[in-house]
Amino acid sequence: MQKVSVLLFLAWVCFLFYAGISLFTSGFLLTRLELTNHSSCQEPPGPEPLPLGHRGEPGACWMASRFSRVVLVLIDALRFDFAQPQSSHMPGEPSASLPFLGKLSSLQRILEIQPHRGRLYRSQVDPPTTTMQRLKALTTGSLPTFIDAGSNFASHAIVEDNLIKQLTSAGRRVVFMGDDTWKDLFPGAFSQAFFFPSFNVRDLHTVDNGILEHLYPTMDSGEWDVLIAHFLGVDHCGHKHGPHHPEMAKKLSQMDQVIQGLVERLENDTLLVVAGDHGMTMNGDHGGDSELEVSAALFLYSPTALFPSVPPEEPEVVPQVSLVPTLALLLGLPIPFGNIGEVMTELFSGNKDSQPHTSAMAQASALHLNAQQVSRFLHTYSAATQDLQVKELQRLQSLFSKASADYQRLLQSPQGAEAALQAVIAELQQFLRGARAMCIESWAQFSLVRMAGGATLLAAACFFCLLASHWATSQGFPFHSHRLSVAWGLAGTIIYAGLLATAGLKLDPVVLGAVAAVGSLLPFLWKAWAGWGARRPLAALLPIPGPVLLLLLIRWAAFFSDSFVIAEARATPFLLGSLILLLVAQLHWEGQLLPPKLLAIPRLGPSTPAVPPRHNGMHALGLGVGLLLCTRLAGLFHRCPEETPACRSSPWLSPLATMVGGRAKNLWYGACVGALVALLASVRLWLRRYGNLKSPEPPVLFVRWGLPLMALGIAAYWALASGADEAPPRLRALVAGASVVLPRAVAGLAASGLMLLLWRPVTVLVKAGMGAPRTRTVLTPFLGPPTSQADLDYVAPQIYRHMQEVFRGQLERNNSQGPLTVAAYQLGSVYSAAMVTALTLLAFPLLLLHAERVSLVFLLLFLQSFLLLHLLAAGIPITTPGPFTVPWQAVSAWALMATQTFYSTGHQPVFPAIHWHAAFIGFPEGHGSSIWLPAFLVGANTFASHLLFAVGCPLLLLWPFLCESHGPQKRRQTPRNEAETRVRPEEEEEEEPLMEMRLRNAPHHFSAALLQLGLKYLFVLGVQILACALAAFILRRHLMVWKVFAPKFIFEAVGFIVSSVGLLLGIALVMRVDGAVSSWFKQLVLAQQR
């Protein structure tokens, strides 16, 4: 079995999973159909005439305008309680502990002194609470779907009808300043614009100061009709420091001064709107649907009387999309075509001197126009797609017809009938609210066929991995048949695409990929079963041990409970600890636990004395206790889900820059640097212990000098990042430059080291000299150079053993004693040395993307992996002829450790917990128009644990052979008599074990073991993504589907893709080392022949 074929086979299996994930996603995360229809003044929203008194007036459209100008101040992440009066803080909690309370004092003064001119609302935001989706809602009045959250930083121009388009069509001058997201959403729509980069969440002042530089001069110039200012400082302060930091109080005080300055400059025909696009969590993040995230502030003010009554004691709750039809009618504009919001009727009641009947009629007129527009949209949308529920749509249309008829009767007899008027208002509001509720529910419609097909394909891929992992190490396994199966799949895809093209139907790449996956999988399963599997008993098809299967089933079932998904950060260490105890107990009961020094296969002679059982138990207990201790220590680093308010997140996951107090910061900095040095020293000591640090090869030289330089660069960057705000003004430019250069230099060094490792992966020491053999060696007679790869694979270990026996001591240089000879040292750890070096080169730049104190977690990660590998290696017997296999316990524990590290590095499978700051490591000024690089950096930060454990997965196969010996051990015994000296002259020194070279002694079994390991790891990961898909499918109408199950599925799917790619890279590295070793031996054989 060729090793390249192993890689291709695993890549094909990964494609099966990718096809299933894509098909399921296309049916689960649907996008709403965006209509391109636009409202206009020439086309009324319904067949009924416009309200009396609104036709023929200057500037009138559907309704006469009440204001000619609007100032919209959008304060990003302005949570509702940020704008609450100070007296409204939480009961029993002093306001001093909440620095954000009472900072917008100008709002409180207006509400107290001018109650008829201003009003504060609690704006109810629709999830997802990301800025781009909120801007769409604030301008179109519609609802972005869940999948749109992925385009938060890849905004595209809005094609739906919106307020900005209506303003420009009416000839209004729209001036914008602030967040450059608007530039992508509304290209060329502004008469004047001042855009500032928005993605750098660590920058609190650039955008806000840029706005203030232009805000008041622009307002005083009068060359505008609508002025939009989008401030970002509050949002960035939340991301960087959280809402409870003193910097938040400073930012809110600055916003209060802005509002006060605008109020002083307003004219009577101008409306001031201060709004937050969303809120933020207790940690300062957003993106989900928690109460703090969907609760934003909305404040309206006019220099003239705007409301007929004083504000209520508790602010009214209004949907955020209600602002769109309200502003449109107040400005005399058509309501955007796709709006589903409801007008805020209080703003159409007139001033405090208006008569009740007149106010009610004005409210009814605005509601009727709004209802006509929504009814038209529903009719058009239902004709274009079948998303809306038919029965509910018919009920709503009947309700609207009745309310419209009642309204027309009131227009014909406007006097009296107050009760009828209030009934019409209630009917119209009921229609508008019912239409919005129906749209919210209908736009969560799923394609059940695609979801079921995707889940079925995932289940088939998991089943195939289970069967193939059991078949891989057996003779006669139809390994190469996958090429023919792929050809069948491609043929089926071509035929299917041809049929679709002939019928004139649209080609869907997702469906084509699923067809190719099914077309390639079914023939392979049929041939494998008919040719090999049918001869085996059914029980042999389930090779997973019972206890491991039970743990996998428990973890699989937990994905169906939102509580367990939320508590997965605590459940995973428990399952990992249970598996560790199971491993220790099982190895002890079966008597397989042996100290590593006794795992070497003895030579012919007296048998090795048995180890006392008590020593076995202590060895297992030591490894198990060490693993459990590391697991517990890693659990100290945790981030609490927002659904558990009683939980307190670990303060150690925050950057050092957020700490107040120089002494504590310095101590933590020293601990972080100490962890970094310990990680570097442990890797170097490990390589030195196995002799791989003595080689003059370029990768070894890089480990000696490049890794310390990388560690120095990381430590220097941490020092600059933690004290950047405290740097003297004259050094800030130098600090800023170093903050750019140092991370890029570390990344460049890591890339250089990986390239050197791929170029020269064999890290052995070779010496040449003249000498004669000191011991006798039996070699296979030399029959000329190898004629095939198999000959080379089998003769190489003999040459290696010969060189070890002949040249173990100091080389004697004596030309008269023999021919030129060559000695190679530490070929026995050549595979593991390359893997450990590659993992270290990957870990350093990944560590740089995290907060400084996460270095302690990375140190625990390496220590925990080392202990687990030794515990697993201690119980795996080494058999020279093969087959080689990695037990399911090892693979399951390895996957659980990857999940545990994901949580220990401060991540959660929800969008608000994404570490966006990673996108600016090395790029503090942003990335310009590029979205791939920041996405790559954020993804590397989020899925670092998945990548490291997947790349290091081959160590599960290599480590037992590595533990065959802890280096060359000489056995010098004093002979009891002269006869014994003559009988055992060749045993003066014990030969060094072959260790990993035993794998080359059976190349077919080596390739089969790599394939089996990859299939087992893909199965464990595939079961997890299958469980998440089934949970989302079965619980698609669950209350927590978009809050828990959908994000979990997305994170699990992306994590599977990252892990599968990492697994292929890790196995490819082993193959590269194996190829380099083969080339090395081949050159040696040819050199000896000459």
Side-chain angles (χ1 to χ4, degrees), residues 39 139 298 323 351 435 486 490-491 515 563 565 594 642 679 693 756 765 863 867 965 1022 1053 1067:
S39 301
T139 54
L298 174 62
L323 184 63
N351 53 38
V486 171
L490 291 177
V515 171
S563 300
V565 172
L594 300 176
E642 60 189 26
L679 180 60
L693 206 59
L756 289 175
L765 176 62
L863 179 59
L867 292 174
S965 173
I1067 294 179

Side-chain angles (χ1 to χ4, degrees), residues 872-893:
L872 298 171
I876 300 178
I878 297 177
T879 57
T880 301
F884 312 118
T885 184
V886 178
W888 282 99
Q889 298 91 321
V891 181
S892 302

Side-chain angles (χ1 to χ4, degrees), residues 765-774 802-815 817 819-825 970 989:
L765 176 62
V766 180
K767 289 185 178 181
M770 303 298 298
R774 295 168 55 191
H802 169 63
M803 291 187 298
Q804 286 181 327
E805 293 180 350
V806 175
F807 300 102
R808 182 177 302 276
Q810 181 180 3
L811 292 177
E812 300 177 0
R813 297 181 177 275
N814 188 345
N815 295 334
Q817 291 183 349
L820 180 66
T821 56
V822 178
Y825 295 88
K970 297 181 179 180
E989 283 188 74

Side-chain angles (χ1 to χ4, degrees), residues 329-383:
L329 295 182
L330 289 177
L331 292 172
L333 299 172
I335 301 176
F337 188 90
N339 164 74
I340 59 171
E342 174 191 345
V343 293
M344 302 162 63
T345 55
E346 196 175 17
L347 290 166
F348 299 90
S349 303
N351 53 38
K352 60 182 178 179
D353 299 327
S354 301
Q355 296 296 323
H357 180 77
T358 306
S359 297
M361 281 300 299
Q363 293 179 12
S365 298
L367 283 171
H368 187 251
L369 284 172
N370 190 185
Q372 284 182 310
Q373 169 264 319
V374 172
S375 177
R376 180 183 63 177
F377 166 72
L378 294 179
H379 177 75
T380 307
Y381 189 88
S382 61

Side-chain angles (χ1 to χ4, degrees), residues 161-182:
D161 195 9
N162 57 81
L163 279 177
I164 304 300
K165 182 174 181 61
Q166 290 293 340
L167 287 167
T168 55
S169 300
R172 308 290 181 92
R173 297 166 297 176
V174 184
V175 178
F176 176 83
M177 51 191 71
D179 187 348
D180 61 353
T181 303
W182 291 73

Side-chain angles (χ1 to χ4, degrees), residues 54 104 223 251 425 430 604 609 730 747 816 914 943 985:
H54 295 162
L104 299 180
E223 299 178 355
K251 263 298 161 188
I425 292 176
Q430 183 182 358
L604 295 177
R730 55 199 175 107
S816 62
I914 294 177
F943 299 101

